[in-house]
Amino acid sequence: MTTWTDRTADRPISLTAPSGIDRAAHHRLDEAWLAAAWSHPTTRAFVVSGGQVLIDETADGTTELVMTASFEAPLTEAHRYFLGTDDDGVSYFALQKDALPGRIDQSARPAGLREAGLLLSPRDSGLMVHAVALENWQRLHRFCSRCGERTVIAAAGHIRRCPACGAEHYPRTDPAVIMAVTDDEDRILLGRQVHWPEGRFSTLAGFVEPGESIEQSVRREVFEEAGITVGEVEYVASQPWPFPSSLMLGFMARATSREINVDGEEIQEARWFSREDLRTAFESGEVLPPYGISIAARLIELWYGKPLPRREA
């Protein structure tokens, strides 16, 4: 495997730009420090619920997370998650609640990461990614996988401990590969999943299986889904994808065969596109571009040579 090191610098992939937040993991077990940080007047907190947060448009036209001072935040002790500090020493916390709070001014609105990730600053989107991933893990892993006892939250939301058997459980991240496959005519292979609407095509993707390298996973997934064999595999970039707990590992891959044979279970249809084919399909509406937040859009752009038509989340 080779590594593509410099082809995303001009247009960073969504959710991957430096956020300016130090996660400060060394403070997560320091209860005295956490208590002091929570009570500090500069500390900011926001609520996450069901993968959504409140966002608001500012007077200058930008969009930001709705955050409050900690002393104004909704009460919650068990589900208060420390996310880190910025260069000015401001601490940030996420509060997991059953519902988002109402707003007196009525200007804020709830949004999920697919929408908000395209609108928020790198700092706010980085905080939201962290909070959404923690919230999902917390909701789905309340019981010990070793003995079945209910676990308790520790390390400012980053560990769940079992009081019965002493096991510690950590947030999981599932590695998944996503690849732009090209052939010897420099056409790109795009597929449509069975549950997608007509016209929506994107790169192939799948989860890494136990005992498998990421290169093996790229080749296996492409062959299983489209019947295409792959030779050279080049790593491009990664993207956190908490829907619910994945890390997308992006690749360019070179096909060594052309005949498509879709599996019919995950992929309904797959096609080879030249650049002219894809441009014409975009313009006619026959093919819908992938969501702008996804690394899939950037992988296709690297091959296409310019930004894809914008598709709203």
Side-chain angles (χ1 to χ4, degrees):
M1 181 185 71
T2 57
T3 302
W4 219 337
T5 59
D6 61 353
R7 303 195 185 186
T8 60
D10 56 335
R11 294 191 65 222
I13 297 167
S14 297
L15 311 182
T16 63
S19 66
I21 299 295
D22 178 358
R23 294 197 174 195
H26 57 288
H27 289 313
R28 292 173 185 168
L29 294 173
D30 188 339
E31 294 297 334
W33 187 93
L34 291 169
W38 177 252
S39 63
H40 197 278
T42 64
T43 292
R44 292 294 177 264
F46 63 94
V47 174
V48 58
S49 180
Q52 291 192 317
V53 298
L54 287 178
I55 63 173
D56 204 355
E57 282 70 41
T58 64
D60 62 3
T62 60
T63 302
E64 60 184 21
L65 269 177
V66 174
M67 291 190 272
T68 64
S70 57
F71 60 84
E72 296 177 336
L75 294 176
T76 178
E77 287 293 333
H79 296 281
R80 187 169 71 201
Y81 311 140
F82 173 60
L83 304 179
T85 61
D86 65 18
D87 291 340
D88 296 322
V90 176
S91 298
Y92 296 89
F93 288 80
L95 310 176
Q96 179 180 322
K97 302 289 286 186
D98 291 333
L100 294 174
R103 294 282 289 176
I104 296 175
D105 56 20
Q106 299 299 311
S107 65
R109 58 187 174 86
L113 192 53
R114 283 186 172 90
E115 176 189 3
L118 290 170
L119 302 174
L120 297 173
S121 67
R123 184 203 69 176
D124 285 4
S125 62
L127 290 169
M128 185 178 177
V129 168
H130 193 174
V132 167
L134 281 179
E135 183 214 17
N136 178 76
W137 174 69
Q138 292 284 355
R139 289 187 184 278
L140 297 181
H141 294 81
R142 297 177 179 176
F143 297 91
C144 179
S145 59
R146 181 184 295 176
C147 71
E149 183 70 26
R150 180 178 286 274
T151 54
V152 295
I153 297 172
H158 295 77
I159 294 176
R160 292 192 73 102
R161 289 198 178 112
C162 179
C165 70
E168 289 189 345
H169 305 279
Y170 296 84
R172 63 176 296 167
T173 296
D174 300 317
V177 292
I178 182 166
M179 43 275 174
V181 180
T182 58
D183 67 3
D184 55 5
E185 295 181 14
D186 203 22
R187 299 178 299 173
I188 194 169
L189 178 67
L190 301 178
R192 182 171 67 85
Q193 292 190 18
V194 294
H195 61 276
W196 285 357
E198 194 72 28
R200 181 179 175 188
F201 282 79
S202 189
T203 52
L204 303 184
F207 287 103
V208 179
E209 293 189 347
E212 184 177 54
S213 72
I214 53 178
E215 298 91 341
Q216 291 170 331
S217 182
V218 168
R219 297 185 178 103
R220 174 184 54 77
E221 285 288 347
V222 174
F223 185 77
E224 288 179 355
E225 294 185 350
I228 298 294
T229 57
V230 165
E232 184 181 5
V233 173
E234 293 183 276
Y235 173 74
V236 177
S238 63
Q239 180 188 41
W241 197 247
F243 303 109
S245 57
S246 301
L247 176 66
M248 304 301 294
L249 306 169
F251 296 88
M252 304 296 285
R254 179 65 71 173
T256 57
S257 67
R258 295 184 180 182
E259 185 176 350
I260 296 172
N261 182 22
V262 298
D263 61 7
E265 296 181 0
E266 293 185 61
I267 301 299
Q268 180 69 35
E269 179 183 5
R271 293 163 54 184
W272 291 107
F273 292 88
S274 68
R275 290 173 180 81
E276 179 61 23
D277 291 338
L278 195 58
R279 182 189 66 80
T280 301
F282 282 151
E283 291 179 351
S284 68
E286 178 188 359
V287 170
L288 303 174
Y291 292 116
I293 193 175
S294 170
I295 191 176
R298 291 292 289 114
L299 291 173
I300 298 172
E301 285 177 352
L302 288 175
W303 164 83
Y304 193 55
K306 61 182 179 180
L308 303 180
R310 179 67 179 269
R311 180 170 181 240
E312 298 300 329

